[in-house]
Amino acid sequence: MSDTAHYRFQSDQARRLARQVTDAAVREKLLEMAEEYGRYADLIEARSAEPAPVEAVTAH
């Protein structure tokens, strides 16, 4: 499982659990965690989509 897939899975799990709990504080924390996992996945995706830096070609 890729890092992106892992964080998306964790985000989904936290959201599912948040729908099941009755404690509002716990639900809010789980939703915050879900958002954070989603941001991690987005960041990893963005970094992997960036082109590799082009090394300067030096004249000899």
Side-chain angles (χ1 to χ4, degrees), residues 39 41 46-47 56:
R39 283 193 293 275
R47 285 187 176 170

Side-chain angles (χ1 to χ4, degrees), residues 4 9 11 14 19 23 29 31 38 40 42 45 47 52 59:
T4 302
F9 176 78
S11 179
R19 287 193 299 265
D23 186 299
K29 187 62 179 174
L31 292 173
Y40 289 155
D42 292 343
E45 277 182 353
R47 285 187 176 170

Side-chain angles (χ1 to χ4, degrees), residues 28-58:
E28 183 62 30
K29 187 62 179 174
L30 285 165
L31 292 173
E32 288 174 14
M33 291 170 57
E35 288 297 317
E36 189 73 15
Y37 282 129
R39 283 193 293 275
Y40 289 155
D42 292 343
L43 180 61
I44 292 167
E45 277 182 353
R47 285 187 176 170
S48 67
E50 289 178 2
V54 177
E55 293 187 30
V57 177
T58 58

